[in-house]
Amino acid sequence: MRVPGLLTPLTTHALTDRPLSRHGGCSVHRSDSGRARGGAHHGRRSQRDLCTDRDGRGAGHGHYPKFPAAQHLLLLLVLLLQLFMVRHTCLTCLTVRNEEERQRWRRRKKIPDTKMETIPNCEACTKPSLEEIRLWSQSFDKLMRNPAGRNVFREFLRTEYSEENMLFWLACEDLKQEMNKSAIEEKARSIYEDYISILSPKEVSLDARVREVINRKMQDPTPHTFEDAQLQIYTLMHRDSYPRFLASNIYKALVHGGSRTPSESYS
């Protein structure tokens, strides 16, 4: 039975399971044998050339090329690589939050009070002098080492709906001072629920590596369980919020009004 003309002699051999010819491993259908014998030298040369075209190594090897299988394997590898890249990108987007988007979300949603009762609404401190206030603009460290400076900076963060960064930093400082084992575990759990859990509306922005470290350390909490996270939030406030604080009306009012608080400066 003759196979339809769209099929090549190579596929015809695969379908009919006929033996290979003695001319380099290419089979010629019997119905085409007359044309093959019609021009003896030309026919044999064309047949040899055809075999060479089909098999890059030339005639006489007795098997067919493997190029389609290699192409399929390469395509599979490319698809797997693309799938990995998409998954990695999605995980990065889920773990590394855009701070501006978080702030816009917080403007639309009222944030409840923290569970950390040990953190006061305002640290006890004396009114800063004008010289101290001006020192805050020299470095972020000087601002954060001063209780009055932290209070003013926290008031500014509240206007930007990012007060949780300062609250988290203060909670970590409070945890470092704790010595009692049961109190450490309780405070560590409260910090985690308030600022680390993705279910908390006061969740701080941390990358996946730091979150993994925290989850591992929470199995046996210590006063330094959140040390890496505290440093990351400190750096975030330094680079993102501190420059805007120095340019804000809150800080300018203090510089021009001496030791008065921002609310007193506006009255």
Side-chain angles (χ1 to χ4, degrees):
M1 178 182 69
R2 179 177 176 81
V3 180
L6 292 178
L7 298 177
T8 64
L10 184 61
T11 55
T12 301
H13 166 72
L15 293 174
T16 58
D17 195 23
R18 291 181 177 174
L20 300 175
S21 72
R22 55 188 175 87
H23 296 292
C26 287
S27 175
V28 180
H29 199 278
R30 289 183 180 179
S31 61
D32 296 331
S33 60
R35 288 195 298 271
R37 290 193 299 269
H41 176 72
H42 177 72
R44 287 195 297 273
R45 183 172 181 82
S46 299
Q47 181 182 0
R48 190 180 303 112
D49 293 342
L50 179 61
C51 294
T52 303
D53 292 339
R54 291 170 182 164
D55 191 344
R57 296 165 296 179
H61 294 276
H63 60 276
Y64 300 122
K66 303 296 184 182
F67 297 117
Q71 291 175 354
H72 293 163
L73 179 60
L74 179 60
L75 178 60
L76 179 60
L77 291 176
V78 171
L79 292 176
L80 290 175
L81 179 60
Q82 291 179 344
L83 180 62
F84 172 78
M85 293 176 65
V86 170
R87 180 178 179 272
H88 178 73
T89 302
C90 292
L91 289 175
T92 303
C93 293
L94 290 174
T95 54
V96 181
R97 305 293 182 88
N98 184 285
E99 190 65 20
E100 294 183 358
E101 293 181 357
R102 289 171 58 84
Q103 292 177 7
R104 287 197 296 267
W105 177 81
R106 292 179 186 282
R107 291 188 182 98
R108 298 192 299 266
K109 186 178 180 66
K110 182 179 179 181
I111 305 301
D113 294 334
T114 175
K115 297 178 182 178
M116 292 298 298
E117 298 177 356
T118 58
I119 304 301
N121 292 331
C122 183
E123 294 182 80
C125 62
T126 59
K127 289 187 177 181
S129 65
L130 181 59
E131 182 180 358
E132 286 180 309
I133 294 173
R134 288 175 176 171
L135 285 176
W136 298 345
S137 64
Q138 294 183 3
S139 72
F140 186 60
D141 292 338
K142 291 181 179 180
L143 172 68
M144 292 294 287
R145 282 198 298 265
N146 188 292
R150 291 194 296 268
N151 284 336
V152 176
F153 186 57
R154 177 177 168 182
E155 184 174 343
F156 167 76
L157 292 177
R158 188 180 297 115
T159 66
E160 291 203 333
Y161 299 89
S162 58
E163 184 185 11
E164 70 279 357
N165 290 332
M166 177 62 78
L167 294 175
F168 172 69
W169 188 88
L170 292 172
C172 293
E173 288 295 298
D174 180 69
L175 179 64
K176 290 178 181 178
Q177 307 302 319
E178 188 60 61
M179 302 297 295
N180 184 273
K181 179 68 174 177
S182 60
I184 289 174
E185 293 179 353
E186 181 180 354
K187 288 185 177 182
R189 184 174 61 254
S190 296
I191 292 175
Y192 188 93
E193 292 175 355
D194 281 336
Y195 305 110
I196 308 301
S197 173
I198 60 175
L199 301 178
S200 173
K202 304 188 73 171
E203 175 198 5
V204 295
S205 181
L206 300 172
D207 61 35
R209 180 192 65 82
V210 173
R211 288 182 177 276
E212 184 178 353
V213 170
I214 292 175
N215 290 333
R216 190 164 56 246
K217 289 183 176 180
M218 281 297 295
Q219 297 177 5
D220 185 21
T222 69
H224 303 282
T225 295
F226 303 98
E227 202 166 45
D228 292 343
Q230 184 185 22
L231 177 59
Q232 190 168 97
I233 294 303
Y234 184 91
T235 303
L236 176 64
M237 292 190 294
H238 183 193
R239 295 179 179 178
D240 187 62
S241 302
Y242 178 61
R244 293 198 298 271
F245 166 73
L246 296 179
S248 68
N249 292 330
I250 291 179
Y251 181 69
K252 290 179 180 179
L254 285 174
V255 172
H256 295 299
S259 60
R260 290 181 295 171
T261 63
S263 58
E264 292 174 338
S265 299
Y266 291 127
S267 60

